[in-house]
Amino acid sequence: MVTVLTTSPTFARAGDLAAQIEHRGWRLVRCLDGGLDQHLGQADFLVAGLPAVTDASLAKAPHLRGVLKHGVGLDSIDIPAATARRIPVLNTPGANAIAVAELALAAIFALSRHVTTAHASIVAGGWERKIGREVQGAVLGIIGLGNIGRVLAVKARALGMRVVASDPNADAVFAGEHQIALAMLDEVLAQADFVSLHVFGGKDNAALIGARELALMHPDACLLNLARGEIVDLDALNAALQAGRLGGAAIDAYTVEPPDRGHPIFARPDVIFSPHSGADTAGSLLRMGQMVIDDIAALLGGGQPLRVVNPDVFAASA
Amino acid sequence: MATRVAVLEYFAPDMQARVRGFAGDGLDLVFPASNDRADFAAILHDADCIVVRGVKMDAGLLDAAPGAGMIHQWGTGTDGIPVAAALARGMVVARSPGRNAPTVADLAIGLMLSCLRRIPQTHAALRGGTWAADGLWDTGRDLTGARVGLIGYGAIAQAVARRLAGFECEVCHTRASGPLPGVPGFLPLDELIARSDVLSLHLPRVPATEGLLNRARLEAMPKGAILINTARGGIVDEDALAGLLRSGHLGGAGLDVFEDEPVDANSPLLQLETTVTLPHIGGRTRDNMARMVQHWAGNIRHHMQGGQLDPAVLVQGG
């Protein structure tokens, strides 16, 4: 029997995905609160959530035939170690783009119209009618014009926003078609009313947005981080908000998850928090889960799925 | 001599200054000390013109304004003005139809996204120490691809439809006076209700629309559908809505307006996990304030100089 081990709380929750797994005769083992090592010995496939997949954990998995990231960001997976063990690593690019882009837009509207504080005020018996701002006509700065950034840009244009984006590998034809201005990071920060980050995590982008970058933004501009926690220096962000040098923020990703709520930023009324739920919609989970199931089936059938990020594993075994 | 304009709504001093700035020269704006009726009466005795915004003016207050020849609604809906009594006195009644469309349409889209992703609830849960409520993957949903129904098809609804162009939604509408020639997407009211995943109200509160969304029509919405009301309270049966949200038949409601405002702290619509509630801020943005004040101030100046107002802004009898 094929054993599929998952550390993702949301894998195979949507639609008929669990039934598909059962129908194929695979055994699904959920491992959500540690203890990964004891299950790895029997696992044929690991469907990875946010917990790290290290060389040490791979060493405990002699039967492993694939690590499939239920998501896009591969920063928590030691890909060279997997390659050395000839284990293909896959992810689900594009499947969550709509959901993440929509959460970014939900946050933009919520920040513009004080939705979280107004809702809390009404529920507590108040009626505080704050003045907001229009999203139409505002400038959206997108850092990283990959799958998510592009979906976000197209929706933002339909909402009447102006879009300026920074990405060294930007598709200039796409940008031209959708009237997206391309610029360097500093310029995007200086121009935007809302800055949304859609780059990978990991060392390369650690503290990409720090005190210097925040100082380039308008005093009433808002920063959105739905990517990875380490990309933003949280202390610098809190200091900028505290000093009135920034209008607000929305945070969906944290360096440690769940985050330590003792950090002063969690007391701020001008920041909207969500629990790394950018991809958590029924539609997104259906698309991601289906990609993972299809790719496991392809690997079992001896195929080479398109979404393998270390195709060398196949060349090496040929 | 400057025209005296009584603005029947309390504004803090800094906001009064902003309104005066937008209104421009030739108008002497007076504001009440509070939203109490007696404070309204106190500024009406020597008013040439009256501006009504979110607080209702009763017919009796006309007696306090013997010299006023014009009432202007700061907004589109004139349900807060004693129209028949004012017209009977020979007063001119004017409004700003459609001028607030971008700001209200923004909020309608924002409420759709906030409901589909439960923005206030996940935010409050995270701040309160709950990382991710169980079952978020069941409740988060995409706006992209949803079937959206617009009840009413004036300037605001059309602005909502334009914004949805980036979401690949199937957008249909209904309107009391039947299909517009050459405009696709019209459906009879009950057909529209039965097919919409997201139903958004964009019609005035008049006798014909009071209770339009009654229990039977709310029950006819598809299971899990969400209702967005940025129009007026009184169009929806609030008790029936609360019951259907509690039973889970409806998936959510985004409500900016209520039958009684401020909404009663004991309203069954508050405290629901699936409802996003706002204090009637549909028109409240700094962009809209500038646009609206400039419009009514221009109309008042034109009228006082003996000019004829555009028929589109004049409120007739009936």
Side-chain angles (χ1 to χ4, degrees):
Chain A
M1 179 182 259
V2 173
T3 296
V4 178
L5 178 65
T6 184
T7 57
S8 165
T10 54
F11 172 60
R13 299 286 190 187
D16 68 340
L17 296 174
Q20 286 186 39
I21 290 170
E22 199 181 328
H23 181 72
R24 288 177 182 273
W26 304 343
R27 188 167 69 104
L28 178 63
V29 178
R30 293 191 182 276
C31 180
L32 305 181
D33 40 13
L36 179 64
D37 289 1
Q38 68 185 71
H39 295 292
L40 278 168
Q42 303 140 38
D44 297 294
F45 296 95
L46 173 62
V47 179
L50 292 167
V53 179
T54 62
D55 187 43
S57 42
L58 293 172
K60 298 190 176 75
H63 309 300
L64 204 61
R65 285 186 268 176
V67 174
L68 298 100
K69 170 72 185 183
H70 190 241
V72 179
L74 292 161
D75 43 294
S76 62
I77 297 173
D78 187 339
I79 295 170
T83 307
R85 294 175 184 276
R86 293 190 180 178
I87 298 171
V89 176
L90 302 86
N91 63 349
T92 59
N96 62 6
I98 287 171
V100 178
E102 288 193 5
L103 187 65
L105 291 168
I108 286 171
F109 283 107
L111 288 164
S112 302
R113 305 303 278 270
H114 312 289
V115 167
T116 51
T117 48
H119 175 84
S121 151
I122 289 192
V123 168
W127 188 258
E128 199 187 339
R129 305 178 70 199
K130 284 192 186 148
I131 305 274
R133 61 169 123 174
E134 281 176 11
V135 168
Q136 164 186 287
V139 178
L140 172 62
I142 300 177
I143 312 300
L145 210 51
N147 283 310
I148 296 169
R150 288 199 300 273
V151 170
L152 175 59
V154 171
K155 291 183 188 308
R157 291 290 300 136
L159 292 168
M161 301 185 84
R162 291 189 285 142
V163 177
V164 51
S166 152
D167 188 330
N169 304 311
D171 178 344
V173 174
F174 172 86
E177 274 172 14
H178 295 279
Q179 296 168 291
I180 299 162
L182 297 174
M184 301 300 285
L185 173 65
D186 284 4
E187 245 177 283
V188 173
L189 294 170
Q191 289 178 22
D193 298 303
F194 300 91
V195 172
S196 197
L197 306 172
H198 300 286
V199 295
F200 289 109
K203 282 198 296 269
D204 291 350
N205 287 326
L208 179 71
I209 305 297
R212 187 194 77 85
E213 289 73 23
L214 292 167
L216 296 172
M217 293 175 65
H218 295 177
D220 60 354
C222 297
L223 179 72
L224 283 70
N225 183 9
L226 286 74
R228 284 293 184 269
E230 65 269 19
I231 299 169
V232 176
D233 178 340
L234 209 59
D235 294 329
L237 175 60
N238 186 59
L241 290 164
Q242 183 69 34
R245 285 186 279 105
L246 204 64
I251 305 179
D252 187 50
Y254 310 83
T255 49
V256 178
E257 297 182 353
D260 169 15
R261 286 176 309 105
H263 193 284
I265 200 163
F266 289 97
R268 297 202 60 83
D270 48 6
V271 183
I272 297 176
F273 300 98
S274 51
H276 205 139
S277 55
D280 290 355
T281 67
S284 160
L285 295 174
L286 200 56
R287 288 185 290 272
M288 289 199 294
Q290 193 65 60
M291 280 188 188
V292 167
I293 290 172
D294 291 349
D295 286 347
I296 291 176
L299 289 167
L300 283 170
Q304 298 185 19
L306 282 176
R307 291 179 281 266
V308 174
V309 297
N310 55 348
D312 289 357
V313 293
F314 296 113
S317 64
Chain B
M1 202 177 97
T3 300
R4 272 182 85 80
V5 180
V7 181
L8 294 193
E9 184 161 324
Y10 170 77
F11 282 89
D14 59 322
M15 291 305 298
Q16 292 183 17
R18 285 174 69 176
V19 174
R20 286 197 175 93
F22 294 139
D25 297 334
L27 303 182
D28 176 17
L29 270 49
V30 282
F31 295 87
S34 79
N35 283 335
D36 292 344
R37 192 175 185 281
D39 287 323
F40 285 1
I43 60 165
L44 282 169
H45 67 279
D46 59 351
D48 301 307
C49 293
I50 302 166
V51 171
V52 171
R53 193 174 183 219
V55 184
K56 280 191 196 306
M57 175 192 191
D58 62 69
L61 276 173
L62 290 172
D63 293 333
M70 181 183 193
I71 306 183
H72 205 300
Q73 174 66 35
W74 180 338
T76 299
T78 50
D79 47 309
I81 294 178
V83 173
L87 292 174
R89 287 171 177 248
M91 296 174 81
V92 167
V93 181
R95 63 193 187 114
S96 303
R99 297 272 162 166
N100 60 4
T103 276
V104 181
D106 265 10
L107 190 72
I109 301 283
L111 277 173
M112 290 175 193
L113 292 167
S114 258
C115 276
L116 291 167
R117 303 304 282 273
R118 309 224 169 146
I119 296 293
Q121 287 83 14
T122 54
H123 168 80
L126 192 143
R127 289 184 68 182
T130 305
W131 166 237
D134 285 341
L136 196 58
W137 50 82
D138 276 340
T139 57
R141 287 153 67 198
D142 297 327
L143 178 57
T144 298
R147 292 179 301 180
V148 180
L150 308 172
I151 301 187
Y153 203 60
I156 295 171
Q158 291 174 37
V160 170
R162 276 195 299 279
R163 283 160 172 72
L164 290 172
F167 293 81
E168 296 151 52
C169 292
E170 202 184 304
V171 184
C172 292
H173 66 269
T174 194
R175 58 197 286 281
S177 29
L180 284 164
V183 178
F186 175 88
L187 285 175
L189 175 65
D190 288 317
E191 267 180 60
L192 185 81
I193 289 173
R195 68 170 284 288
S196 296
D197 303 315
V198 176
L199 191 63
S200 192
L201 307 183
H202 303 287
L203 66 179
R205 178 177 180 165
V206 293
T209 63
E210 277 174 24
L212 186 75
L213 271 286
N214 56 22
R215 182 177 298 277
R217 290 205 169 101
L218 293 169
E219 284 173 349
M221 290 172 70
K223 182 166 168 53
I226 68 168
L227 178 74
I228 304 298
N229 190 2
T230 55
R232 282 290 185 272
I235 299 172
V236 180
D237 178 338
E238 292 186 348
D239 287 335
L241 176 62
L244 290 165
L245 287 164
R246 198 170 291 114
S247 77
H249 177 72
L250 294 182
L255 305 173
D256 185 44
V257 291
F258 299 88
E259 169 100 58
D260 296 312
E261 295 179 6
V263 65
D264 189 316
N266 297 314
S267 164
L269 288 167
L270 308 178
Q271 320 290 348
L272 288 170
E273 276 300 297
T274 52
T275 304
V276 181
T277 47
L278 295 175
H280 203 150
I281 52 152
R284 292 217 165 197
T285 62
R286 58 194 187 195
D287 318 78
N288 200 39
M289 172 172 278
R291 205 162 44 220
M292 299 301 270
V293 173
Q294 283 158 6
H295 187 247
W296 60 246
N299 285 343
I300 289 173
R301 266 193 292 270
H302 192 59
H303 170 75
M304 293 305 290
Q305 288 158 9
Q308 283 292 313
L309 292 181
D310 178 350
V313 309
L314 284 174
V315 178
Q316 311 293 342

